[in-house]
């Protein structure tokens, strides 16, 4: 399967539908790019359907629907980068906060910090090397060279509120330039001078508690959130003739003093309290705090929970110049890298070794563990656990020594200088060394030894060779006897997909939707549901969960990609009648609830309730065989009954 250039594909689609000027709006659902065209006659549908990466084109509900499949979010994002028909981010259905309050908080922090995390890491690494160079006498602190390099490294941290204003504005849908102006006022030299002078400050006779907002995090995020409400209010009440300039004018006049008098002090005190709490944990029970951070950091990363800790680390650095939370992370990261290295030396599977070598190098030198975690340690399980064990021991020792980081760097050998000036560096090295030794030794002697027989088999789950990750046509591995409903229910080497709901089985060719009935999305079947509880047909990971609750993409533990689509064209209901029970990233077992749907509401709205179960990577599998509805008693399936047999 040829690799698709999604930016080129987005551009070709735009050209094929008559250019950007002919697109009134764009959204996407689980599989389709949905365009609202001003004049459909200008679209060359035949040309669009021939584009590599496009499955077919449909026209329904006043929309021009370009069916792309699982990669539609990527095409949508590229569409936003080359046109103004979207804001360049995934559609609302994909990005809106989902799940409980904690999940929403993590999603919020992730969206605000992820765009700047790499520049932060780069600047932190430069700060660490400059610190090392001055300590070793390679660079005079007062030299002009050092001044220029220090400014290069420090600027991002000093003006961090301005950078966060941009990402927060995108998240909260405010005018980003107004947000930047608010942030710039907080770090304006005269404001910084007022904070440093210590003298009483007032605004219009009202006392102001002055703070230093350079490198701060929380004040600008809260300020931009409030800015969104103010801008929307002003837009609604101001006359259109003066709205364009009076909205930012009034926003600045209100928000800057408001932040300085209320939001800034409150959030700064909150940040200082958080920092004090973290320091207390590392002061009174350092071994426990270090063991938790060192042992479970990579687990936090897996579930995205680490984004909730990043503001705490940055807060520590802004209030005290270093972060104790980061001290144990060297052991956590290098422990996983060491386990991966042991796998590379131990395994006899050439494909695994090919993945493990570069992954271990990336972990040791750059602190980037995703290739190691997803391509090696997690699929094999034991190396991941052994890496955690090393991180627990090493993190506890580093924390006992009061180790921390003076710069925000990715924990790695290259970032080591950032850990050299906080706490007992010897204990940091001892703890990290033990983490590496424990993870490496346990993995090498007690980890799974993949045999040569695997060399000629399928690609490795989660590796670069996995077709589900890289788009390769190589078949995936068959099931290996997992327990419970996840296990193959058929003969050896087969994977059984269960019916997600009880109801009348419908052959795919009879489904009233061209995309599904043609088999363009893969093989599968339809079920006219008898009740509104839709369950997972497989054990695996939710890879896509539409906010509307009508469609879910699941990657099974056996490597089978499954789409559960509730009803035909039900995305038009915009979530009415649907209640999703899972979000993207959730782990589910076969039979777990995916969603509850009000079938009567869907039917009364004029939509077909037929629920599709599709194997979207059919082309990469040996066979996908749905049950023959005519052979079933009454033609009905019971929820949990085998519905599709897959041979990898």
């Amino acid at each position: 399967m040829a690799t698709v250039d999604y930016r080129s594909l987005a551009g070709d689609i735009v050209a094929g539908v008559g250019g950007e000027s002919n697109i009134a709006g764009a959204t996407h659902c689980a599989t389709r790019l949905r365009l609202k065209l001003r004049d459909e006659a200008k679209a060359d549908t035949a040309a669009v359907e021939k584009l590599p990466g496009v499955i077919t084109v449909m026209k329904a509900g006043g929309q021009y629907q370009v069916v792309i499949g699982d990669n539609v979010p990527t095409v949508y994002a590229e569409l936003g980068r080359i046109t103004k028909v979207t804001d360049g981010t995934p559609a609302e259905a994909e990005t809106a906060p989902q799940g409980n309050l904690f999940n929403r908080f993590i999603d919020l922090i992730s969206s605000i910090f992820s765009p700047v995390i790499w520049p932060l890491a780069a600047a932190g690494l430069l700060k660490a090397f400059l610190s090392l160079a001055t300590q070793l006498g390679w660079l005079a602190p007062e030299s002009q060279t050092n001044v220029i390099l220090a400014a290069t490294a420090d600027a991002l941290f000093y003006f961090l509120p301005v950078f966060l204003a941009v990402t927060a504005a995108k998240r909260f849908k405010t005018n980003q330039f107004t947000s930047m102006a608010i942030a710039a006022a907080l770090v304006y030299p005269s404001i910084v001078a007022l904070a440093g002078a210590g003298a009483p400050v007032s605004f219009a006779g009202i006392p102001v508690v002055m703070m230093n907002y350079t490198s701060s995090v929380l004040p600008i995020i809260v300020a931009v959130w409030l800015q969104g409400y103010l801008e929307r209010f002003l837009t609604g009440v101001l006359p259109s003739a003066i709205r364009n300039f009076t909205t930012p004018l009034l926003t600045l006049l209100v928000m800057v003093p408001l932040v300085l008098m209320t939001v800034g002090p409150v959030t700064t005190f909150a940040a200082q309290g958080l920092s004090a709490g973290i320091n207390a944990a590392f002061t009174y029970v350092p071994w426990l705090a270090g063991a938790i951070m060192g042992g479970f950091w990579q687990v936090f990363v897996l579930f995205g929970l680490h984004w909730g800790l990043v503001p705490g680390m940055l807060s520590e650095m802004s209030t005290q110049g270093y972060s104790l939370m980061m001290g144990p992370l060297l052991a956590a990261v290098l422990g996983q890298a060491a386990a991966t290295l042991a796998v590379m030396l131990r395994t006899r599977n050439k494909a695994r070794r090919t993945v493990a070598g570069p992954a271990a190098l990336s972990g040791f030198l750059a602190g980037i563990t995703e290739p190691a975690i997803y391509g090696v340690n997690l699929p094999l399980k034991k190396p991941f656990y052994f890496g955690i064990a090393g991180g627990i021991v090493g993190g506890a020792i580093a924390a006992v020594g009061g180790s921390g980081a003076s710069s925000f760097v990715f924990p790695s050998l290259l970032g080591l200088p950032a850990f050299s000036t906080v706490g007992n560096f010897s204990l940091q090295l001892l703890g990290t060394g033990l983490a590496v030794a424990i993870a490496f030794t346990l993995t090498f002697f007690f980890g799974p030894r993949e045999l040569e027989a695997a060399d000629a088999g399928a690609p490795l789950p989660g590796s670069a060779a996995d077709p589900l990750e890289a788009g390769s046509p190589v078949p995936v591995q068959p099931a290996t006897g997992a327990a419970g409903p996840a296990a193959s229910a058929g003969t050896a080497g087969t994977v059984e997909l269960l019916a997600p709901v009880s109801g009348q089985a419908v052959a795919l060719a009879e489904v009233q939707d061209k995309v599904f009935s043609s088999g363009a999305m893969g093989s599968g079947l339809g079920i006219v549901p008898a009740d509104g509880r839709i369950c997972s047909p497989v054990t695996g990971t939710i890879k896509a969960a539409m906010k509307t609750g009508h469609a879910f993409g699941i990657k099974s533990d056996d490597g089978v990609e499954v789409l559960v689509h509730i009803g035909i064209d039900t995305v038009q209901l915009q979530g009415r009648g649907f209640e999703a029970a899972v979000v993207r990233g959730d782990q589910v077992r076969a039979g777990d609830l995916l969603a509850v749907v009000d079938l009567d509401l869907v039917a009364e709205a004029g939509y077909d309730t037929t629920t599709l179960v599709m194997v979207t990577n059919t082309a990469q599998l040996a066979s996908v065989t749905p049950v023959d509805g005519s052979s079933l008693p009454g033609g009905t399936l019971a929820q949990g009954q085998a519905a599709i047999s897959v041979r990898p």
Side-chain angles (χ1 to χ4, degrees):
M1 182 184 297
T3 300
V4 177
D5 183 339
Y6 292 109
R7 176 161 296 190
S8 296
L9 175 57
D12 291 341
I13 291 174
V14 172
V17 299
E20 181 177 349
S21 61
N22 195 38
I23 304 176
T27 59
H28 76 80
C29 61
T31 59
R32 310 177 192 194
L33 182 65
R34 295 171 175 265
L35 304 177
K36 183 71 174 180
L37 301 185
R38 292 186 170 89
D39 183 359
E40 285 193 3
K42 293 183 178 180
D44 186 346
T45 299
V48 174
E49 286 184 322
K50 292 178 181 178
L51 294 175
V54 172
I55 297 173
T56 189
V57 172
M58 291 186 64
K59 302 174 185 178
Q63 295 177 331
Y64 190 88
Q65 303 175 11
V66 183
V67 183
I68 294 167
D70 294 341
N71 291 308
V72 68
T74 304
V75 178
Y76 182 85
E78 293 296 345
L79 187 68
R81 294 188 178 98
I82 64 173
T83 71
K84 296 180 180 180
V85 299
T86 79
D87 62 0
T89 61
E92 183 68 17
E94 292 291 294
T95 61
Q98 302 181 52
N100 58 37
L101 186 61
F102 180 71
N103 288 338
R104 295 184 182 187
F105 170 74
I106 296 299
D107 178 72
L108 170 67
I109 295 300
S110 174
S111 64
I112 291 175
F113 279 92
S114 58
V116 297
I117 203 70
W118 286 104
L120 276 174
L125 191 61
L126 179 56
K127 283 169 64 72
F129 278 118
L130 282 176
S131 175
L132 179 65
T134 55
Q135 288 181 53
L136 297 178
W138 298 342
L139 192 62
E142 66 279 0
S143 69
Q144 294 176 343
T145 299
N146 185 60
V147 170
I148 293 173
L149 291 176
T152 304
D154 289 336
L156 176 53
F157 292 95
Y158 188 93
F159 296 107
L160 184 59
V162 179
F163 290 87
L164 294 180
V166 176
T167 57
K170 189 172 184 179
R171 174 69 188 201
F172 297 124
K173 301 188 184 303
T174 64
N175 185 305
Q176 66 181 22
F177 296 103
T178 305
S179 301
M180 293 168 66
I182 295 170
L186 298 183
V187 295
Y188 195 70
S190 59
I191 299 296
V192 175
L194 283 176
V201 177
S202 65
F203 174 78
I206 304 173
V208 178
V209 180
M210 294 303 299
M211 301 284 181
N212 188 335
Y213 297 103
T214 60
S215 303
S216 64
V217 174
L218 292 180
I220 190 59
I221 294 177
V222 176
V224 174
W225 174 61
L226 293 174
Q227 174 198 344
Y229 287 98
L230 179 58
E231 283 186 344
R232 286 187 287 274
F233 170 76
L234 293 174
T235 300
V237 300
L238 291 173
S240 58
I242 62 171
R243 183 184 301 148
N244 288 342
F245 66 88
T246 51
T247 296
L249 171 64
L250 294 176
T251 300
L252 288 173
L253 284 175
V254 171
M255 289 306 305
V256 173
L258 180 65
V259 172
L260 292 176
M261 290 190 291
T262 59
V263 175
V266 170
T267 53
T268 300
F269 285 138
Q272 291 172 346
L274 175 64
S275 179
I278 293 169
N279 278 280
F282 277 91
T283 298
Y284 296 108
V285 281
W287 63 271
L288 179 60
I292 292 174
M293 287 298 295
F296 296 99
W297 174 251
Q298 294 294 351
V299 178
F300 298 156
V301 171
L302 283 179
F303 291 99
L305 303 181
H306 63 302
W307 289 112
L309 301 175
V310 169
M313 297 174 183
L314 294 175
S315 174
E316 282 187 287
M317 290 183 180
S318 66
T319 57
Q320 62 194 23
Y322 58 88
S323 171
L324 291 176
M325 289 177 68
M326 292 187 64
L329 302 191
L330 264 178
V333 170
L334 297 191
Q336 291 293 337
T340 306
L341 179 62
V343 170
M344 186 197 74
L345 297 176
R346 175 186 172 86
T347 186
R348 297 171 67 183
N349 185 314
K350 294 179 182 178
R352 182 77 69 189
R353 190 180 303 116
T354 300
V355 174
L361 186 65
S362 172
F364 275 118
L365 294 184
I368 308 302
T369 55
E370 281 79 1
I373 296 298
Y374 294 111
V376 181
N377 294 357
L378 202 57
L380 296 178
K381 295 182 176 63
K382 282 187 177 180
F384 184 67
Y385 301 149
F386 294 150
I388 288 176
I392 290 174
V393 175
I397 293 174
V400 167
S403 180
S406 58
S407 302
F408 187 88
V409 298
F410 279 18
S412 62
L413 294 178
L414 289 178
L416 202 58
F419 297 84
S420 64
T421 59
V422 182
N424 189 321
F425 189 50
S426 297
L427 284 181
Q428 172 66 270
L429 293 178
L430 174 63
T432 303
L434 281 175
V436 169
I438 290 171
F440 181 88
T441 302
L442 289 177
T443 302
F444 190 83
F445 289 104
F446 303 105
R449 182 182 294 276
E450 297 174 294
L451 302 178
E452 287 180 328
D455 291 351
L460 306 171
S463 72
D466 185 352
L468 300 178
E469 301 296 334
S472 167
V474 185
V476 296
Q477 285 182 310
T480 54
S488 169
T491 59
T494 64
V495 179
E496 300 289 355
L497 274 61
L498 310 183
V501 65
S502 298
Q504 188 81 26
V506 178
L508 197 62
E510 299 175 10
V511 172
Q512 300 301 307
D513 185 289
K514 172 186 172 182
V515 174
F516 295 123
S517 62
S518 67
M521 291 299 301
S523 296
L525 80 163
I527 301 174
V528 179
D531 64 78
R533 292 179 58 83
I534 311 298
C535 301
S536 176
V538 290
T539 293
T541 304
I542 302 294
K543 291 297 185 180
M546 302 301 291
K547 180 188 175 185
T548 51
H550 79 286
F552 302 88
I554 309 167
K555 181 177 178 181
S556 82
D557 291 347
D558 307 293
V560 180
E561 291 183 322
V562 183
L563 172 66
V564 178
H565 197 287
I566 308 169
I568 305 298
D569 214 29
T570 46
V571 67
Q572 304 291 351
L573 289 171
Q574 298 182 343
R576 287 190 298 114
F578 292 84
E579 183 179 348
V582 296
V583 297
R584 184 172 50 193
D586 280 356
Q587 303 292 315
V588 294
R589 291 188 62 79
D592 284 355
L593 184 66
L594 294 178
V596 177
V597 55
D598 186 337
L599 297 177
D600 291 337
L601 185 151
V602 174
E604 289 171 2
Y607 294 97
D608 187 338
T609 61
T610 301
T611 295
L612 284 304
V613 186
M614 309 290 300
V615 178
T616 56
N617 63 333
T618 295
Q620 300 166 359
L621 304 170
S623 68
V624 177
T625 308
V627 298
D628 183 357
S630 62
S631 67
L632 298 169
T636 61
L637 279 166
Q639 190 277 316
Q641 183 177 346
I644 301 175
S645 179
V646 178
R647 290 188 62 84

